[in-house]
Amino acid sequence: MNTYIKHWLFAGAVSFLVTACGNRLNVEPTQSVEQSQALNTEQDVRITLVGAYDGLSDVNLYGGGIQYIGDLTGDNRDVVFGGTYSTLDEIWRKTVTTSNTVTRDFWLDGYNAINRANNVLSALDKVSQANRNNIEGQARFIRGALYFELVKAFAKSWNDGTPTANPGVPLVLTPTSVVTDADSRARNTVAEVYTQVLDDLTKAESLLPQTQSYGSAVSSGFATKDAAAAILARVYLQQQNFASARDAANRVITSGTYSLASTFADAFTDASPETIFRIIVTDQDGTNDLNTFYASVPNQGRGDVRVQPKFRQLYEANDVRGSFFSTANQNTFTSKFNDLYGDVPVVRLAEMYLTRAETNLRLNTAVGATPLADINLIRNRAKATPLTTVDLAAILLERRLELAFEGQQIADIKRTGGTVGTTAYNANNLVLPIPQREIDTNKALVQNPGYN
């Protein structure tokens, strides 16, 4: 998406909000309005949906936090965290404390955005029939995606023990206006959370349009049918439901809406044709926290996450992905997030090809294409030597090389039963602690093993 379109979308959203609120300048503050009066019109519901997207784009969520938490938790010194933030250093060292403010805000902001989505879903009767499916689908997408991220981070993985017994995270499916003792929810099981995630995302896929257009611009910054299917593919893959993961990824690929960027570098521009869902950032709104921590100082970042030779040596000499780095002050940084105001990619088409290849291989099927064809499609774009045969190890390595620094590291380690160095995938310190603030205020919550 070019700068003009990004600013157009931002200005349009602001204009919409100003128009909607212009006749309300003298009303009571929102927190003192009765809930029954807060969402009276379709315009009110649309404004609340914009607020849910704003929550989703928070730096502690898809604005960067979810991604770097996933990568730093799963890192085995492929990078060195050289910054001054002790909170991120704890995550990288796998010594997270219950008072860590990054993980605390991941939880808080996640539930805040979920609550906004719940408010939208509670007022669908105020929305016209023509628009109701789209608005419901978008709210369900936001809620389903966030519950998936929360349960992955704060609970045991699906393949660790018994999902129907392991504590997940509390499911809150109705709006919360004023917190009372009745809102002290116990943790639902991992299985219950996954059931809700699948319900939300499956319904979202069925309700959403193929594209979301604003004026003459088509934007992947808003939930679509393919965005829901792409996150579904991740969910099913995490559950080792390979047939459903394969089919969801194949639906995205065969929709024809997206195509691989012609070069690997082009995949990380705002105009990339392969970004299925992104967080829109402009110089007026939003922050790309992947730029903040991953990019070098000359590229407007802090230069905190420094890529080590150990990782770069995994790439073949002719693989352009192995040179997609920058160097400053004798340190190396990924070039995926060099644009301070660049959109944050959440899921790309390349990942769908990798998911389809892996699941087809595991199932000995060739839905859409053979695993070898899909892997070589990705490798050809990277100028890497095409493979003549492919096995599971080669596919998992390809995921690591292609999706590095995009948040999938710990998820892939856990679902495949791998290790972080010598630390097993099911170790207590690879699960984030429930924030102490939540434990103190909600006596129904039980802390994760290994944390006081």
Side-chain angles (χ1 to χ4, degrees), residues 64-75 91 106 294 406-411 413:
I66 286 172
Q67 294 92 322
Y68 67 66
I69 288 173
D71 280 332
L72 293 178
T73 303
D75 178 69
I91 296 168
F106 176 9
Y294 282 100
E406 297 180 51
Q408 298 307 301
Q409 177 80 338
I410 192 61
I413 289 171

Side-chain angles (χ1 to χ4, degrees), residues 28-61:
E28 291 296 314
T30 301
Q31 63 266 29
S32 63
V33 176
E34 291 292 332
Q35 185 172 345
S36 61
Q37 300 174 353
L39 293 170
N40 277 335
T41 68
E42 179 170 328
Q43 195 172 58
D44 296 332
V45 178
R46 287 179 175 272
I47 291 170
T48 305
L49 181 60
V50 171
Y53 275 113
D54 185 64
L56 187 71
S57 68
D58 189 275
V59 292
N60 296 298
L61 300 177

Side-chain angles (χ1 to χ4, degrees), residues 356-387:
R356 189 172 74 175
E358 178 184 340
T359 50
N360 266 327
L361 183 96
R362 289 181 181 274
L363 297 168
N364 194 28
T365 57
V367 172
T370 65
L372 181 62
D374 277 342
I375 290 302
N376 278 335
L377 190 67
I378 300 299
R379 290 179 64 81
N380 288 341
R381 198 260 298 270
K383 309 300 182 185
T385 304
L387 301 178

Side-chain angles (χ1 to χ4, degrees), residues 221-234:
F222 301 88
T224 62
K225 186 178 297 294
D226 285 333
I231 302 300
L232 270 171
R234 284 183 176 176

Side-chain angles (χ1 to χ4, degrees), residues 96-100 103 107 153-154 431-435 447-448 451:
V96 181
T97 61
T98 60
S99 60
N100 187 293
T103 57
W107 178 286
F154 290 98
V431 178
L432 298 182
I434 306 299
Q447 184 58 273
N448 285 323
Y451 298 99

Side-chain angles (χ1 to χ4, degrees), residues 101-142:
T101 55
V102 169
T103 57
R104 177 202 67 190
D105 291 345
F106 176 9
W107 178 286
L108 285 174
D109 293 341
Y111 275 102
N112 187 17
I114 287 169
N115 193 50
R116 297 177 193 182
N118 284 339
N119 273 284
V120 171
L121 293 169
S122 74
L124 290 173
D125 62 327
K126 303 298 193 298
V127 179
S128 65
Q129 286 291 341
N131 298 322
R132 189 174 298 174
N133 282 355
N134 192 356
I135 288 177
E136 179 181 353
Q138 292 184 70
R140 284 187 177 274
F141 172 85
I142 291 169

Side-chain angles (χ1 to χ4, degrees), residues 160-225:
D160 178 11
T162 307
T164 54
N166 289 338
V169 296
L171 284 173
V172 183
L173 304 176
T174 56
T176 302
S177 53
V178 178
V179 178
T180 67
D181 289 342
D183 295 299
S184 292
R185 310 285 183 91
R187 298 170 67 175
N188 289 82
T189 66
V190 168
E192 288 171 335
V193 179
Y194 269 86
T195 296
Q196 183 60 48
V197 168
L198 291 173
D199 181 67
D200 274 339
L201 293 174
T202 300
K203 287 177 179 173
E205 184 183 3
S206 71
L207 294 168
L208 286 166
Q210 198 67 46
T211 60
Q212 296 280 12
S213 298
Y214 293 81
S216 60
V218 176
S219 174
S220 56
F222 301 88
T224 62
K225 186 178 297 294

